[in-house]
Amino acid sequence: MLSIIINDSLVGFFPCSRGVKQGDALSPLLFCLVEEVLSRGISKLVNDKKILHMASLQGYLTPSHILYVDDIFVFCRGDIKSLRNLSIFLKTYGDFLVNMLITLN
């Protein structure tokens, strides 16, 4: 059962049957799992040459992406093919997450 606090008093009780509550110890783990899927998907696009690396100095590799806390930085060429493939992947990834949330609820 859940309750809310109004003016320092617990008010009402609500059943909780699904989902992960904010602050739950499982939340960071689920977040990391979902980010791992995103990271591997971007890596696969790079390995399959569907998005191209940014130009760099000879002998140096640029990262394809960096995940930091809840931010993601994607580094790729700005050509149409790379941007279109990245956009398609992000749309598919977003649709997948929305469908997972609907299924879980």
Side-chain angles (χ1 to χ4, degrees):
M1 297 293 281
L2 299 175
S3 183
I4 59 173
I5 298 174
I6 299 177
N7 296 327
D8 296 326
S9 300
L10 291 174
V11 178
F13 290 93
F14 310 94
C16 179
S17 60
R18 289 187 179 189
V20 178
K21 297 181 250 352
Q22 185 175 357
D24 189 296
L26 194 55
S27 293
L29 177 62
L30 292 175
F31 180 78
C32 288
L33 288 172
V34 170
E35 267 204 340
E36 182 67 20
V37 171
L38 178 62
S39 179
R40 287 178 184 230
I42 293 171
S43 293
K44 183 166 176 22
L45 288 175
V46 171
N47 292 337
D48 293 348
K49 300 197 182 334
K50 292 185 176 180
I51 63 174
L52 303 174
H53 278 284
M54 290 177 54
S56 64
L57 296 174
Q58 184 134 4
Y60 293 94
L61 289 176
T62 56
S64 60
H65 60 288
I66 296 173
L67 303 172
Y68 181 75
V69 188
D70 61 352
D71 295 324
I72 182 166
F73 300 92
V74 178
F75 304 99
C76 69
R77 290 192 188 166
D79 63 287
I80 301 275
K81 175 188 164 195
S82 294
L83 296 176
R84 182 178 300 127
N85 287 330
L86 181 61
S87 179
I88 290 168
F89 169 73
L90 292 174
K91 170 96 172 80
T92 303
Y93 175 79
D95 290 345
F96 171 76
L97 290 180
V98 167
N99 288 332
M100 286 291 294
L101 288 174
I102 291 171
T103 303
L104 293 174
N105 289 327

